[in-house]
Amino acid sequence: MRKLDSGQTVSFSIHQVAELDGIDLAGITAHYDSLERKMLDGFFAHVGGHRGMKYLHWNMRDINYGFAAIEHRYRVLGGEPVFIIPDENKFDLARLLIDIYGVGYTGHPRLTTLLDKNKIQPRDFLNGASEAEAFEQGNFVGLHQSTLRKVDVIANLAGRAQDRSLKTNTTWWEMHGGRMRAFVNFAAESRTFQLIAGTASIVGLVITFQPALPASVWAVVSGVFASDP
């Protein structure tokens, strides 16, 4: 967990718990369940001590890969969460980026291709297959480093999206919803367009009332717009 304002990060890992218990890396597998239970004790104690916080995540939406998976595993190990993060406090950055830029904003897998597009160095970053391999090999330190890097990456991408510096495959036209929506947005934001529209409104008003105006007045008005476009 990384605080977006300060960058301070709190992490929970098997090998850290093992170190505190005096168990070396080679002995983690033999004590895995008890170490995992202690790790999740710490996780849920931290979450319970920071109620009301909002969590930005990447695709952590279901029992296979998400907050529900962590809660389920904790119960399997005999624990019971003292506090569960409300759904309204969870924000999926993966879905938010689709909402902003459209489904084609980057290739698949989206996270890694987005890193390439924005030239963010994926140091210590492991994809799903590599993480599974690291777990099978007992490389718990590597898994921890990858997790730390991923939370850093999520914060980085969120910051770039917020300040509109994130590079994607989406064009300005596509991002603004196509012809009509783009035109409406442009009209609302463009001072030049607003000036032209205002001038056109005045001309239209003059033309509408032209028959009731004296010929001399109409000539003056026409001359103004003709000489000063």
Side-chain angles (χ1 to χ4, degrees):
M1 298 180 184
R2 177 188 175 101
K3 295 186 68 176
L4 292 182
D5 56 353
S6 67
Q8 293 298 310
T9 304
V10 179
S11 61
F12 307 88
S13 65
I14 293 289
H15 80 276
Q16 287 179 322
V17 176
E19 286 177 344
L20 293 174
D21 284 1
I23 300 173
D24 60 20
L25 293 176
I28 288 179
T29 301
H31 302 86
Y32 190 86
D33 283 359
S34 63
L35 294 174
E36 185 182 12
R37 167 62 191 271
K38 290 181 180 180
M39 178 187 71
L40 294 178
D41 283 341
F43 171 80
F44 282 104
H46 181 85
V47 169
H50 295 79
R51 304 187 185 202
M53 298 295 101
K54 295 178 173 59
Y55 295 85
L56 190 68
H57 63 89
W58 190 274
N59 280 336
M60 293 180 60
R61 299 192 302 266
D62 54 42
I63 192 68
N64 292 319
Y65 177 79
F67 294 93
I70 300 174
E71 294 157 11
H72 174 74
R73 182 60 182 169
Y74 191 42
R75 292 188 177 100
V76 168
L77 295 171
E80 183 61 37
V82 295
F83 176 74
I84 294 178
I85 302 170
D87 287 344
E88 58 267 24
N89 285 4
K90 303 169 186 174
F91 299 89
D92 185 357
L93 182 60
R95 298 188 69 181
L96 290 175
L97 293 180
I98 292 176
D99 290 341
I100 297 171
Y101 300 103
V103 294
Y105 77 93
T106 190
H108 290 278
R110 286 195 170 101
L111 187 56
T112 53
T113 56
L114 196 58
L115 295 183
D116 292 340
K117 183 77 172 179
N118 287 271
K119 295 182 171 54
I120 299 175
Q121 296 298 321
R123 180 174 54 86
D124 300 325
F125 184 104
L126 300 177
N127 60 27
S130 297
E131 284 190 338
E133 182 180 354
F135 180 81
E136 292 297 330
Q137 295 176 350
N139 183 12
F140 301 108
V141 175
L143 286 170
H144 185 219
Q145 291 173 335
S146 176
T147 303
L148 290 173
R149 182 55 177 164
K150 285 183 177 180
V151 78
D152 178 66
V153 161
I154 290 173
N156 191 328
L157 295 176
R160 296 190 187 204
Q162 193 276 333
D163 65 19
R164 300 187 180 184
S165 65
L166 185 68
K167 296 179 180 178
T168 71
N169 295 335
T170 305
T171 65
W172 184 92
W173 195 253
E174 292 170 334
M175 182 175 171
H176 289 78
R179 298 180 180 178
M180 183 56 67
R181 183 177 173 187
F183 175 77
V184 171
N185 289 341
F186 169 77
E189 297 174 2
S190 173
R191 295 183 63 184
T192 301
F193 181 87
Q194 291 169 5
L195 178 61
I196 295 173
T199 302
S201 298
I202 294 173
V203 174
L205 182 63
V206 170
I207 292 174
T208 300
F209 288 98
Q210 185 270 337
L213 293 175
S216 58
V217 175
W218 173 241
V220 171
V221 174
S222 297
V224 169
F225 284 103
S227 62
D228 186 18

